[in-house]
Amino acid sequence: LHTGFLESFHAKLNNLAPKSTFYGYQTMMSKVCESILDWNENVDRAYKLDKNGEPVVQLNARRYEKERSSRVVRTEPTHLWKEAVLAEMISMVSLGKKHPNPFPEPPGRVVRPTLDPQQDLAAVKTTGKHRVTLMSKKSQKRKRGADD
């Protein structure tokens, strides 16, 4: 199984949305869609031809190896999808339609409650059912003394 196309797509995605940069959910989804549109438009580009109608071949030499390789050069990538997206947005605005949000809201964030140590300690003492166990400073000192 050859994974070159998949690796090439991920290189395109990393070029548009580097992993070292944090993006919000909407921005990241936009960048993923942008890379998909760009990839789909340019994945099967035609080969570049010379004056005689033959495909142009490029020789590659690796710096530390004596081997050379060759590859057929493809035509320059196009970005016609950008014009299509812009035309669609202009037509929607001119018709007075609101552009629909193509992305659903991100999954809800898990917010951890802020614990007040005094209330939590009282809850542990009275109910005994609370998972978080906090000990007062006196209890911690007594436990350390018992462990020694």
Side-chain angles (χ1 to χ4, degrees), residues 64-145:
Y64 298 107
E65 296 178 12
K66 295 182 181 180
E67 295 179 13
R68 292 182 183 236
S69 62
S70 63
R71 70 176 185 91
V72 180
V73 180
R74 294 193 179 262
T75 57
E76 293 297 317
T78 60
H79 301 287
L80 300 175
W81 64 269
K82 290 180 182 180
E83 295 172 11
V85 169
L86 184 60
E88 178 67 23
M89 290 178 69
I90 290 172
S91 70
M92 291 186 82
V93 169
S94 65
L95 295 174
K97 293 181 180 177
K98 185 178 178 185
H99 190 277
N101 184 0
F103 310 117
E105 290 299 316
R109 285 189 349 188
V110 177
V111 180
R112 294 185 179 170
T114 308
L115 298 176
D116 180 24
Q118 295 301 325
Q119 289 177 354
D120 198 49
L121 184 61
V124 171
K125 286 181 179 177
T126 56
T127 63
K129 295 180 182 178
H130 201 277
R131 288 182 162 199
V132 179
T133 57
L134 297 175
M135 294 189 289
S136 65
K137 290 184 179 180
K138 285 183 182 179
S139 299
Q140 289 175 357
K141 286 180 184 178
R142 275 187 267 156
K143 186 172 181 176
R144 276 191 228 133

Side-chain angles (χ1 to χ4, degrees), residues 49-68:
L49 303 176
D50 62 7
K51 294 176 186 177
N52 300 329
E54 297 292 322
V56 176
V57 178
Q58 180 181 20
L59 294 174
N60 297 327
R62 295 192 177 160
R63 190 175 207 173
Y64 298 107
E65 296 178 12
K66 295 182 181 180
E67 295 179 13
R68 292 182 183 236

Side-chain angles (χ1 to χ4, degrees), residues 40-55:
N40 286 342
E41 183 174 315
N42 293 304
V43 68
D44 289 327
R45 291 188 320 245
Y47 293 118
K48 196 175 204 179
L49 303 176
D50 62 7
K51 294 176 186 177
N52 300 329
E54 297 292 322

Side-chain angles (χ1 to χ4, degrees), residues 3-19 35 38-39:
T3 60
F5 284 116
L6 182 63
E7 291 172 12
S8 182
F9 169 73
H10 282 131
K12 172 58 93 178
L13 179 60
N14 287 335
N15 189 15
L16 293 172
K19 292 179 181 178
S35 62
D38 192 59
W39 172 257

